[in-house]
Amino acid sequence: MNSVAAENHRYRPHIHGTKIFSQLTHGGHTSLEHPPHIMWAPTQMPEPSSHFSTKAMDEDDIHAVIAGFAVSARKAVEAGFDGIEVKVAHDGLLRSFASPFFNRRGDRYGGSFENRMRLSLEVIEAIKKQTGDTYPVGVRICVNEFTTFGYDLEYGLRMAETLETSGLVDYFNARTKPRFPFSSWRILRQRENTWALSTLTTKLGAQWEPTNSRS
């Protein structure tokens, strides 16, 4: 082992008894870093923070996304990650499909709450098939978006409850915020954030453990 490899090896989390999880997401029409010319979305409409064109995904596109998550999960396991976290929060394709504002479809992936949650559930199910039942798979979720177009606490709690009752989710990494957390928002919403997360854990009969996660 050369000196560079040895130095890299020294900082591997497992050397220090630490677990490391991989967060999986699809940017969808919130892909602002080097976005493609046409971005996939549940509905052909702009994202408020972006002026790029979007394409309303057809079922072939949706199946490709599900397959992509499954492949990514398998690679995460092979790479030595101890668990996987699926992002259904703040931005990204899964959040867009779950959102009543962004998802205005009329097929089995939109139109009702159950249909809006279908893609997230099918993605997590595909991931679990790759990882096995004992491998931890969690969800990063926002329980209140606090925006004029975002969903409220009641809707966010319903999302969490639906995911939890599926039996596919081992834990939730939750917070409340809009996509762009300005300092004034943090001051005004700190109390609401704490109350919302306490409500979530009470509703699901879970334990709340504060973290500093941002993504």
Side-chain angles (χ1 to χ4, degrees), residues 29-33 47-51 87 89-92 95 102 142 144-149 175-187 189 214-215:
H29 65 163
T30 58
S31 301
L32 302 184
E33 187 73 22
E47 208 272 349
S49 61
S50 172
H51 62 273
K87 189 174 182 182
H90 313 129
D91 51 27
R95 169 266 195 164
F102 291 115
C142 178
N144 192 336
E145 293 194 308
F146 287 117
T147 63
T148 55
F149 58 85
R175 75 179 298 182
T176 66
K177 72 167 191 174
R179 185 155 183 262
F180 299 105
F182 301 104
S183 297
S184 59
W185 180 91
R186 289 183 180 275
I187 296 171
R189 294 303 183 186
R214 288 176 171 268
S215 59

Side-chain angles (χ1 to χ4, degrees), residues 163-177:
L163 293 165
E164 196 273 337
T165 56
S166 72
L168 299 170
V169 179
D170 296 302
Y171 74 90
F172 287 98
N173 177 7
R175 75 179 298 182
T176 66
K177 72 167 191 174

Side-chain angles (χ1 to χ4, degrees), residues 8 11 25 30 37 60 66 100 104 129 144 152 159 192 198-200 203 206:
N8 290 337
Y11 288 106
T25 187
T30 58
H37 293 296
D60 286 342
I66 296 170
R104 306 182 186 186
K129 287 180 179 177
N144 192 336
D152 59 12
M159 288 172 59
E192 289 90 337
S198 297
T199 303
L200 170 64
K203 189 176 184 66

Side-chain angles (χ1 to χ4, degrees), residues 12-193:
R12 289 178 182 173
H14 293 149
I15 299 298
H16 305 283
T18 302
K19 302 296 184 183
I20 181 168
F21 280 43
S22 173
Q23 187 184 84
L24 302 183
T25 187
H26 185 297
H29 65 163
T30 58
S31 301
L32 302 184
E33 187 73 22
H34 307 298
H37 293 296
I38 299 292
M39 297 192 287
W40 283 359
T43 309
Q44 200 286 311
M45 61 181 290
E47 208 272 349
S49 61
S50 172
H51 62 273
F52 294 100
S53 298
T54 62
K55 174 197 175 186
M57 296 168 63
D58 57 34
E59 290 219 11
D60 286 342
D61 298 330
I62 290 172
H63 294 156
V65 166
I66 296 170
F69 270 99
V71 170
S72 297
R74 187 181 72 245
K75 290 182 177 180
V77 174
E78 293 171 352
F81 285 95
D82 300 293
I84 286 171
E85 183 170 282
V86 182
K87 189 174 182 182
V88 194
H90 313 129
D91 51 27
L93 192 64
L94 300 185
R95 169 266 195 164
S96 297
F97 266 81
S99 166
F101 176 80
F102 291 115
N103 188 342
R104 306 182 186 186
R105 302 172 70 93
D107 61 3
R108 67 193 192 97
Y109 288 96
S112 68
F113 173 81
E114 291 74 19
N115 285 352
R116 288 194 293 271
M117 293 299 297
R118 187 184 304 278
L119 179 58
S120 292
L121 290 169
E122 289 185 354
V123 162
I124 298 169
E125 184 177 16
I127 288 172
K128 294 291 282 187
K129 287 180 179 177
Q130 294 295 322
T131 62
D133 293 335
T134 60
Y135 190 84
V137 175
V139 167
R140 173 70 161 159
I141 192 167
C142 178
V143 292
N144 192 336
E145 293 194 308
F146 287 117
T147 63
T148 55
F149 58 85
Y151 55 78
D152 59 12
L153 177 61
E154 182 180 358
Y155 193 91
L157 291 175
R158 191 178 177 192
M159 288 172 59
E161 190 171 24
T162 297
L163 293 165
E164 196 273 337
T165 56
S166 72
L168 299 170
V169 179
D170 296 302
Y171 74 90
F172 287 98
N173 177 7
R175 75 179 298 182
T176 66
K177 72 167 191 174
R179 185 155 183 262
F180 299 105
F182 301 104
S183 297
S184 59
W185 180 91
R186 289 183 180 275
I187 296 171
L188 291 171
R189 294 303 183 186
Q190 184 176 10
R191 182 174 297 176
E192 289 90 337
N193 182 63

